Amino acid sequence: MALVSFIAGFDAATEGELLDGFDAWVATASPAAGASSFAWPVVVASRTWEAILDGRNTIDAMPRTLQQEAKADLMRLLDEFLADRATNAAG
């Protein structure tokens, strides 16, 4: 998904600050993947398409019918993560 590449690029431009802690945070929000060695794009995709966790599928193989839902979920998760982090930093 191009959105994943865009977000990863944005994270690189911030020298990793944008997504610092996102891997662990999104894993706790994704029971199917749980605490695993999967990178955050796979964990997020698994919330819509659990077949990605079998090790044989890649994010590029996600059915088109699920891609919009996965993109919306990614944006919602990113919003929640950044809001939680801002709240914790302020408090």
Side-chain angles (χ1 to χ4, degrees):
M1 284 191 298
L3 180 59
V4 170
S5 297
F6 177 79
I7 293 170
F10 197 101
D11 185 49
T14 64
E15 297 180 354
E17 287 185 36
L18 176 69
L19 298 180
D20 186 33
F22 187 62
D23 277 333
W25 184 91
V26 80
T28 62
S30 307
S36 68
S37 61
F38 291 115
W40 68 263
V42 174
V43 174
V44 172
S46 76
R47 295 166 52 88
T48 304
W49 186 48
E50 286 190 31
I52 198 166
L53 298 175
D54 69 9
R56 291 174 289 167
N57 290 296
T58 66
I59 200 164
D60 294 327
M62 177 182 276
R64 287 187 152 278
T65 56
L66 299 176
Q67 289 180 14
Q68 281 305 111
E69 182 181 347
K71 289 174 187 178
D73 192 37
L74 171 55
M75 294 308 297
R76 185 185 56 74
L77 288 167
L78 191 54
D79 277 345
E80 286 179 25
F81 168 72
L82 294 172
D84 283 355
R85 189 167 69 184
T87 300
N88 290 335

